[in-house]
Amino acid sequence: MADVLSIINPATEALIQEIPVDDRATVAEKYARARAAQLGWAALPLADRIKCILRFRELLIERVDALAALLTAETGKPITQARNEILAVPGRIDFFVEHAAQVLAPERVYAEPAVALPGMGVLEEAIAQEPLGVIANISAWNYPYFVGGNVFIPALLMGNAVLYKPSEFATLTGGAIVSLLHESGIPQNIFIPIIGSGLSGAALLEQPIDGVFFTGSYATGQKIAIAAAPKLIRTQLELGGKDPAYVCADAKVAAAAAGLADGAFYNNGQSCCAVERIYVHIDVYDEFLEVFMATVKSFKLGDPTDPDTYLGPVSRKPQLSILADQVADALAKGATLRCGGERLNRPGWYFTPTVLTEVNHTMTVMQEETFGPVIGIQRVASDEEAVALMQDTPYGLTAAVYGTDRERAVGILHQLKTGSAYWNCCDRVSPRLPWSGRGHSGLGATLSLAGISTFLQPRAWHLRAG
Ligand code: NAD
């Protein structure tokens, strides 16, 4: 009998459903189907593939209520944030569709001005863009529509077949995405789900795939890179972060505090680009803390199906002990607990929004990815001190600087190795800009033109008329 995956509602701890998982044999069979179908899909006119994706776009909007309810049920994401996520996908689709033809277009780069070889015609050089083939899309649970869609939408548009492994913590949403894409006209053998946990993901990597596009933790990303290395295939890794923000002495403090509280706690802090540590110049520290605390206290914690809820449960039970351990470690080393720091005494994996001050870099809360509703705020005496602390991480996803002087902020951001740099904003992703990480935050980029062409490989044509 096949193993099953138990889907649990993080808000109630009730079992929602049990689903059979893929094993090596079913993964191999799915791979073979995708391989057999891919060339036919790539041979279709781009307009036909675009038509399917635009139908998917319509269905997302039409069915947003049911899709958001499902996402909330299995991840605990507050329903308003679930709707926001789904309704932001059409904007990304628009970008991909608008630029697909441009990225795919063949290019004639040279034509010999006169015949160089007697008896032969002139030489022409051209570049054609070809899909990679059959790719693996191994996804995370925290934003299944975003992180999945950043991969499978451009990958399909460019003519690839996709073996899509949703996270085991967002499997029902993954299933809904698969159904919607099939209903939109994407052939069953071109977009195929692989259901299960890391074991199913590892079985997928045993197949002779042509690329792997992974979103998840640094620890798993390393395993993916090791499994993919002997295959010499395109390997893209979007991993975690320990994203810093610095509030300069010249910042508009109230706006910075409100923006950073949202950046730290949106989606319960379970965003790859969540603000994970905050440094505040001593001159504005008290004012900052006052507004920050008032903002955090205004966040409604509770039932994620309530449209007014801002903070639901965390999506994975083991995260509760990681959060509790980071808080305990910080308190043991001298931090001050301003609010939160404990589980709610009710069913569900609720952790109260937690603000720690008097923190320093000996504490895990300032060093390791928290991925939950806990933030450390550290006072600094100068820009130089802030830069040194912001640099003190192996991660490099995003960094934010708040201040009125653009040159100063940009100067600080230039000293940090991150894929995204924010001035007076944070926790922000744009389809027009590449989404990438440095160091332990990953390899390669999604979104932007780079995030479309990554699903292609160039072919050089040397054509001499006979
Ligand atoms: P995870 O690493 O636990 O799992 C990610 C996926 O990998 C899941 O589908 C899982 O089943 C699969 N997997 C696990 N072991 C595997 C193996 N050995 N071989 C193949 N597949 C395997 O991560 P998660 O808990 O789902 O996501 C949270 C992490 O993702 C955080 O670190 C977060 O920062 C990161 N993240 C990064 C981005 C980004 O864009 N940089 C976006 C979202 C999340």
Side-chain angles (χ1 to χ4, degrees):
M1 213 180 92
D3 279 346
V4 292
L5 195 61
S6 300
I7 314 289
I8 309 284
N9 183 328
T12 60
E13 301 181 47
L15 176 69
I16 303 176
Q17 204 175 322
E18 288 192 318
I19 297 181
V21 303
D22 278 297
D23 58 21
R24 279 180 151 162
T26 60
V27 170
E29 178 270 324
K30 289 180 174 186
Y31 165 78
R33 283 202 277 128
R35 177 60 76 195
Q38 187 266 325
L39 286 177
W41 174 244
L44 289 178
L46 173 62
D48 290 9
R49 296 196 295 272
I50 287 180
K51 202 169 146 198
C52 300
I53 294 298
L54 289 179
R55 179 66 188 136
F56 174 65
R57 181 191 192 284
E58 280 172 6
L59 291 179
L60 283 176
I61 297 169
E62 268 173 45
R63 314 251 172 100
V64 63
D65 290 341
L67 296 171
L70 195 63
L71 181 56
T72 294
E74 69 178 333
T75 65
K77 187 187 289 262
I79 189 80
T80 303
Q81 296 175 21
R83 289 177 60 87
N84 289 349
E85 180 183 345
I86 295 163
L87 293 176
V89 176
R92 296 188 182 194
I93 289 179
D94 292 343
F95 177 83
F96 293 136
V97 164
E98 207 176 301
H99 294 90
Q102 168 192 347
V103 175
L104 253 181
E107 202 185 343
R108 198 171 84 150
V109 289
Y110 178 71
E112 219 168 42
V115 173
L117 279 184
M120 300 293 277
V122 290
L123 177 81
E124 186 184 318
E125 294 175 357
I127 303 171
Q129 300 294 339
E130 298 182 346
L132 298 175
V134 178
I135 65 144
N137 173 191
I138 301 178
S139 209
W141 48 265
N142 60 336
Y143 286 95
Y145 286 92
F146 281 167
V147 300
N150 291 351
V151 172
F152 63 69
I153 296 167
L156 290 168
L157 283 172
M158 294 300 106
N160 297 278
V162 179
L163 293 166
Y164 165 61
K165 200 199 95 50
S167 163
E168 57 272 45
F169 303 102
T171 302
L172 300 178
T173 291
I177 288 172
V178 173
S179 301
L180 286 191
L181 282 168
H182 291 167
E183 190 180 337
S184 308
I186 304 284
Q188 304 254 346
N189 290 340
I190 287 299
F191 191 74
I192 310 184
I194 303 289
I195 300 302
S197 62
L199 285 178
S200 310
L204 176 53
L205 288 168
E206 289 173 8
Q207 299 303 315
I209 49 174
D210 300 307
V212 55
F213 295 79
F214 170 79
T215 310
S217 61
Y218 168 66
T220 312
Q222 276 186 313
K223 292 184 195 162
I224 303 282
I226 289 166
K231 296 181 192 292
L232 302 180
I233 54 172
R234 188 153 307 163
T235 301
Q236 203 157 289
L237 307 170
E238 301 208 343
L239 310 179
K242 189 69 194 168
D243 295 0
Y246 171 44
V247 182
C248 300
D250 65 352
K252 289 186 175 152
V253 179
L260 286 171
D262 187 49
F265 290 100
Y266 192 83
N267 202 31
N268 227 347
Q270 302 170 120
S271 306
C272 52
C273 52
V275 174
E276 289 244 343
R277 47 200 178 109
I278 300 176
Y279 307 98
V280 184
H281 194 277
I282 195 163
D283 290 354
V284 290
Y285 180 82
D286 291 342
E287 184 189 351
F288 177 88
L289 198 59
E290 193 179 319
V291 181
F292 192 91
M293 292 307 299
T295 310
V296 174
K297 284 184 178 152
S298 75
F299 292 152
K300 186 172 171 193
L301 169 70
D303 177 3
T305 64
D306 177 345
D308 293 330
T309 292
Y310 181 87
L311 290 162
V314 295
S315 303
R316 291 171 59 256
K317 192 176 182 187
Q319 204 62 23
L320 290 170
S321 44
I322 293 174
L323 302 178
D325 287 353
Q326 287 197 355
V327 173
D329 172 74
L331 295 180
K333 291 173 181 162
T336 302
L337 184 66
R338 299 282 175 163
C339 67
E342 58 192 3
R343 267 191 86 165
L344 268 194
N345 187 17
R346 59 179 276 183
W349 306 327
Y350 289 93
F351 199 88
T352 47
T354 303
V355 179
L356 293 159
T357 56
E358 280 68 56
V359 289
N360 61 55
H361 276 219
T362 67
M363 302 172 184
T364 52
V365 73
M366 299 304 274
Q367 292 278 311
E368 291 170 17
E369 190 176 38
T370 302
F371 224 58
V374 176
I375 187 77
I377 303 177
Q378 184 166 351
R379 202 185 331 226
V380 294
S382 66
D383 290 357
E384 291 69 28
E385 186 184 358
V387 168
L389 290 166
M390 290 168 100
Q391 286 171 332
D392 181 27
T393 177
Y395 289 106
L397 196 58
T398 81
V401 173
Y402 285 74
T404 44
D405 181 342
R406 176 175 173 154
E407 210 175 309
R408 175 186 189 175
V410 169
I412 292 170
L413 289 164
H414 267 302
Q415 297 174 65
L416 308 173
K417 290 186 183 139
T418 59
S420 294
Y422 300 125
W423 177 41
N424 289 325
C425 56
C426 63
D427 191 25
R428 181 177 190 278
V429 180
S430 161
R432 296 170 292 278
L433 296 172
W435 186 246
S436 71
R438 308 278 191 268
H440 288 193
S441 293
L443 274 184
T446 51
L447 302 174
S448 76
L449 294 183
I452 306 178
S453 58
T454 191
F455 299 102
L456 294 169
Q457 52 197 335
R459 188 164 201 211
W461 287 91
H462 306 245
L463 302 162
R464 186 182 293 286

